[in-house]
Every structure is written in C-alpha cells, then in structure tokens.
Amino acid sequence: MRIKAVLRDTDILQMEPGSKKRILAAAIKNEDRVISWTSLLKVMGLAFEQRQTMLEMLKDSNLHIWLMNDGNQHLVFLTSSTETPLEMAYQWQ
C-alpha cells in the first residue's frame, strides 16, 4: 500500500489548533489519500490521544472515515465516496 504525505498549507496552520474549522480544512485537504493518522492529527493541532475529537468533529461532515493499521502505523483514508476503498480498512461509524 502506498502511504502519502499529509498535505498542509499556511492557511490551515494559521487556524486555531484543534478547532473544528482547522480539523475540517485538514481533512478536506487530504481527502482520497491514504495517510498517517498521527501526522494528520498533528496538522489538525491534536495529539494521538485526542483522535476521538477528530472523529466527533467530522461525524456530521460528508466525509467517510476509513481506518486501518499497516505494521505499526495507524492509517486513515477520508473520502466522500461510499465505496470501500481498501480491503483491509474498516469504516468508523
């Protein structure tokens, strides 16, 4: 599986860390990419222990959240599509 780098930009990084606006902006920026969940959380201004916050803030968005574990890496795939993206992923909620 090909894991991509988490995308970020100065607009996202200037938003308040952990805010709903920053979490949603980072999620949309990284849509349809298999990325490190830990790295995405850092861009969102959250620690890995706060991953539930990310999930709660995105639950009302149109994004589907697919989680997976590859080796020792926690990965996430965010998409607007309802189709299963990867065999080894499981959908949150």
Side-chain angles (χ1 to χ4, degrees), residues 50-64:
Q50 297 173 296
R51 59 193 178 275
Q52 184 68 29
T53 302
M54 180 202 99
L55 297 172
E56 288 295 324
M57 291 205 181
L58 293 179
K59 75 177 183 180
D60 295 326
S61 72
N62 68 335
L63 293 173
H64 298 276

Side-chain angles (χ1 to χ4, degrees), residues 6-80:
V6 175
L7 299 175
R8 60 184 130 306
D9 60 35
T10 54
D11 292 337
I12 291 172
L13 297 176
Q14 290 176 356
M15 294 176 188
E16 180 184 343
S19 68
K20 185 169 186 166
K21 185 176 178 181
R22 182 167 173 168
I23 290 170
L24 186 57
I28 291 170
K29 181 91 173 174
N30 287 283
E31 189 173 347
D32 295 324
R33 301 166 55 83
V34 176
I35 55 176
S36 164
W37 198 4
T38 305
S39 296
L40 177 62
L41 288 167
K42 285 180 185 174
V43 171
M44 292 176 168
L46 301 170
F48 191 71
E49 295 75 26
Q50 297 173 296
R51 59 193 178 275
Q52 184 68 29
T53 302
M54 180 202 99
L55 297 172
E56 288 295 324
M57 291 205 181
L58 293 179
K59 75 177 183 180
D60 295 326
S61 72
N62 68 335
L63 293 173
H64 298 276
I65 303 167
W66 295 88
L67 305 173
M68 63 206 90
N69 196 329
D70 184 35
N72 290 331
Q73 288 192 49
H74 296 279
L75 306 174
V76 64
F77 183 82
L78 304 165
T79 185
S80 299

